[in-house]
Amino acid sequence: MRVGVVGGGLMGAGIAETVARAGHDVRIHEPIAAARAPSLARITASTERALAAGKLEAQEQRALLERIVYVDELAQLADRELVIEAVVEDRAVKLDYFRRLERHVCADALLASNTSSIPIAELAAAVSTPERVLGLHFFSPAPVMRLVEVVAALDTSEQTLATARRFVESLDKTVVMSKDRAGFVVNLLLVPYLVAAVRMLEEGFATREDIDAAMALGCGHPMGPLTLCDFIGLDVVSAVCDSLFEEFKRAEYAAPPLLSRMTSAGRLGRKSGRGFYTYQATR
Ligand code: CAA
C-alpha cells in the first residue's frame, strides 16, 4: 500500500518504521525542516536496536529505510492510499490538517488519525467524505507494541474499516475495534490507573520508586506507572485526562494538580529530559 504519515515525531516516526518494515511504501510529511534529521535518526536508532537483537537483517534494515521518504508539501501525498495523521495532540492543528488533506489526497484515500484524545467524528466533520475517516491508534513504541485500536466514527464506512483491518494485520499487529469514545479501550483503562499513581505520590502514600517497583514487580508490568507517564509524556497523559473528564464528567478522570503543574512547567517526561525522573537522553 502507498502510505502517508503526517508528522515525523515520536509516534509518526514509529508508525512510519512499522509500516515500512511490513513492505509498504511510506512518505512522511514533516514540514519543519529541522525536525527531519532527528526523525530519521530516531528511525535509524530503532532499527539498529532491532538489528542488534536479531529482529531484523541488515539487508531488511536497508530496504526498510529506503522505503521511507520525507516530504515537505502535503501535495506530495497525492498518490497515497492511506494517510495516517500523527501530529501534535492539538485539536485545532489536527482539524486544520484534515481540511488540508482533503484538498491534496485522492478522493478514495483513507484518512486516519493516531489521536489518543480527540473524537474521530470531529476530525471526520472537517472533510466532506467522513466515510473514509477513522482512528488508527498505535502504542508507543510503535515498532514494538503489538496492538492497534481501530476506531469507527459515526459515519465511517464498513469498507473503510475492512481495509483498515487488513492493513493493520499486514503490520503483524492485532486489531481491537473501539467505539469513538474518549480514551477508546486502552486509555480508558490505563489513564485512570496512571493518575491514581500520581495522586498516590502527591499524597505522600509511597515514594516514586516504591510506587513503580510495586507495579513492575507485583504485577509484572514492564514499567511502573510513573515511569510510564514519563515515557508517554505528561502532556499527552494530561490531554487524555481532559478528554476523559470532558466526555464522562467523572472525578476520577480529572488530571490531578501535580500532573497539571508538571505539564505547565514543561516537565513532560523523557522527551523534555525531566518528569517524575530525570533523563540523560531521549529515545
Ligand atoms: N523493531 C522491532 N523490535 C524491536 C525494535 C524495533 N525497532 N526495537 C526494540 N525491539 C524489541 C527488542 O528486541 C526487545 O525484544 P525482546 O523482548 O524479544 O528482547 C523489545 O522490543 C524491547 O526493546 P528494548 O530491549 O530496546 O527495550 P526494553 O526491554 O527496555 O523495553 C519497552 C522497552 C518496550 C518500552 C518496555 O519497557 C515496555 O513495553 N514498556 C511499556 C510501554 C507501554 O505501556 N506502552 C504503551 C503506552 S500507552 C500509549 O502509547 C497510548 C497513548 O495514547 C498514551
Side-chain angles (χ1 to χ4, degrees), residues 17 21 46-47 49-50 53 55 116 137-141 143-145 187 190 222-223 228 231-232 236 283:
E17 176 189 334
R21 184 178 181 168
S46 173
T47 59
R49 277 199 300 279
K55 300 273 165 72
S116 45
H137 188 217
F138 289 76
F139 295 84
S140 179
V144 176
M145 305 313 280
N187 280 336
L190 176 68
M223 9 170 101
L228 185 53
F231 182 75
I232 294 170
V236 176
R283 68 167 262 196

Side-chain angles (χ1 to χ4, degrees), residues 140-155:
S140 179
V144 176
M145 305 313 280
R146 302 292 314 279
L147 182 74
V148 177
E149 289 176 316
V150 174
V151 185
L154 281 179
D155 293 319

Side-chain angles (χ1 to χ4, degrees), residues 231-254:
F231 182 75
I232 294 170
L234 271 56
D235 51 338
V236 176
V237 177
S238 228
V240 178
C241 284
D242 291 347
S243 72
L244 293 182
F245 186 70
E246 198 184 319
E247 182 107 296
F248 302 108
K249 308 286 186 291
R250 291 169 61 166
E252 73 257 35
Y253 298 146

Side-chain angles (χ1 to χ4, degrees), residues 104-258:
H104 291 293
V105 301
C106 63
D108 52 3
L110 301 197
L111 300 177
S113 175
N114 181 55
T115 181
S116 45
S117 61
I118 297 164
I120 304 301
E122 246 181 78
L123 301 174
V127 304
S128 60
T129 47
E131 60 276 9
R132 61 175 168 147
V133 177
L134 78 160
L136 278 183
H137 188 217
F138 289 76
F139 295 84
S140 179
V144 176
M145 305 313 280
R146 302 292 314 279
L147 182 74
V148 177
E149 289 176 316
V150 174
V151 185
L154 281 179
D155 293 319
T156 311
S157 71
E158 285 304 323
Q159 195 190 337
T160 295
L161 294 174
T163 307
R165 180 181 279 278
R166 279 197 301 278
F167 169 71
V168 173
E169 286 168 357
S170 79
L171 308 179
D172 198 23
K173 307 248 187 233
T174 297
V175 169
V176 163
M177 298 293 305
S178 172
K179 230 171 150 171
D180 184 23
R181 293 289 180 274
F184 312 136
V185 174
V186 170
N187 280 336
L188 187 55
L189 295 171
L190 176 68
V191 170
Y193 152 68
L194 296 181
V195 298
V198 177
R199 282 195 199 99
M200 206 176 226
L201 180 73
E202 197 165 19
E203 288 163 12
F205 201 101
T207 63
R208 60 182 186 181
E209 287 82 5
D210 281 359
I211 292 171
D212 276 347
M215 294 309 289
L217 303 178
C219 293
H221 290 187
M223 9 170 101
L226 300 172
T227 304
L228 185 53
C229 284
D230 279 358
F231 182 75
I232 294 170
L234 271 56
D235 51 338
V236 176
V237 177
S238 228
V240 178
C241 284
D242 291 347
S243 72
L244 293 182
F245 186 70
E246 198 184 319
E247 182 107 296
F248 302 108
K249 308 286 186 291
R250 291 169 61 166
E252 73 257 35
Y253 298 146
L258 179 61

